Amino acid sequence: VIANNHLHEGKAVPTYATGTTTGGDQTSLVADFDTGDFTPAGALLSNLKAPVVKYDRAGTQRAATDAVGAVAI
Protein backbone atom coordinates (compact mmCIF):
# COMPACT_ATOMS: atom_id res chain seq x y z
CA VAL A 1 0.00 0.00 0.00
CA ILE A 2 1.27 3.46 -0.85
CA ALA A 3 0.26 5.96 1.83
CA ASN A 4 1.34 9.55 2.51
CA ASN A 5 4.15 9.51 -0.02
CA HIS A 6 5.35 11.95 -2.68
CA LEU A 7 6.02 11.04 -6.32
CA HIS A 8 7.91 12.94 -9.01
CA GLU A 9 5.91 15.27 -11.27
CA GLY A 10 4.26 13.51 -14.17
CA LYS A 11 3.97 10.18 -12.38
CA ALA A 12 0.47 8.81 -12.03
CA VAL A 13 -0.71 8.21 -8.48
CA PRO A 14 -1.99 4.63 -8.26
CA THR A 15 -5.70 4.38 -7.53
CA TYR A 16 -4.99 2.47 -4.31
CA ALA A 17 -2.62 5.16 -2.95
CA THR A 18 -3.83 7.41 -0.15
CA GLY A 19 -2.46 10.81 0.89
CA THR A 20 0.03 10.71 -1.99
CA THR A 21 1.12 13.93 -3.70
CA THR A 22 3.14 14.66 -6.85
CA GLY A 23 5.40 17.46 -8.03
CA GLY A 24 9.01 18.31 -8.74
CA ASP A 25 11.90 16.05 -9.64
CA GLN A 26 15.33 15.09 -8.32
CA THR A 27 16.68 18.60 -8.86
CA SER A 28 13.80 20.54 -7.28
CA LEU A 29 12.82 18.23 -4.40
CA VAL A 30 16.16 18.50 -2.57
CA ALA A 31 18.57 21.35 -1.83
CA ASP A 32 21.38 20.21 -4.16
CA PHE A 33 21.11 16.78 -5.74
CA ASP A 34 24.47 17.06 -7.55
CA THR A 35 26.47 17.63 -4.36
CA GLY A 36 24.50 15.12 -2.29
CA ASP A 37 22.61 17.66 -0.16
CA PHE A 38 19.27 15.86 0.12
CA THR A 39 17.71 18.40 2.47
CA PRO A 40 14.04 18.55 1.42
CA ALA A 41 13.00 21.46 -0.81
CA GLY A 42 10.20 22.48 -3.16
CA ALA A 43 7.14 20.24 -3.21
CA LEU A 44 8.53 18.10 -0.38
CA LEU A 45 8.27 21.14 1.89
CA SER A 46 4.83 22.19 0.70
CA ASN A 47 3.35 18.69 1.15
CA LEU A 48 4.27 17.76 4.71
CA LYS A 49 3.07 14.41 6.10
CA ALA A 50 2.99 12.66 9.46
CA PRO A 51 6.32 10.78 9.69
CA VAL A 52 6.41 6.97 9.57
CA VAL A 53 9.50 6.79 11.81
CA LYS A 54 10.22 8.95 14.85
CA TYR A 55 13.82 9.87 13.91
CA ASP A 56 15.54 10.68 10.61
CA ARG A 57 18.78 9.04 9.43
CA ALA A 58 20.87 11.57 11.39
CA GLY A 59 19.01 10.82 14.63
CA THR A 60 17.00 14.04 14.55
CA GLN A 61 13.48 13.66 15.90
CA ARG A 62 10.84 14.23 13.24
CA ALA A 63 8.19 16.92 13.68
CA ALA A 64 4.47 16.08 13.92
CA THR A 65 4.35 16.82 10.17
CA ASP A 66 7.55 16.72 8.17
CA ALA A 67 8.95 16.29 4.69
CA VAL A 68 8.61 12.79 3.23
CA GLY A 69 11.95 10.96 3.15
CA ALA A 70 14.95 10.18 5.28
CA VAL A 71 16.05 13.72 6.15
CA ALA A 72 14.09 15.91 8.56
CA ILE A 73 13.74 19.67 8.08
Side-chain angles (χ1 to χ4, degrees), residues 14-70:
T15 57
Y16 54 83
T18 60
T20 299
T21 54
T22 62
D25 60 23
Q26 68 189 31
T27 61
S28 65
L29 293 174
V30 296
D32 193 341
F33 179 82
D34 292 330
T35 64
D37 182 353
F38 300 113
T39 304
L44 286 180
L45 292 181
S46 61
N47 293 294
L48 302 179
K49 314 279 186 204
V52 175
V53 295
K54 191 170 182 170
Y55 296 92
D56 73 3
R57 67 181 183 169
T60 303
Q61 187 169 354
R62 307 297 299 266
T65 58
D66 213 334
V68 175

Side-chain angles (χ1 to χ4, degrees), residues 1-5 7 12-21:
V1 175
I2 297 175
N4 298 327
N5 211 329
L7 305 176
V13 176
T15 57
Y16 54 83
T18 60
T20 299
T21 54

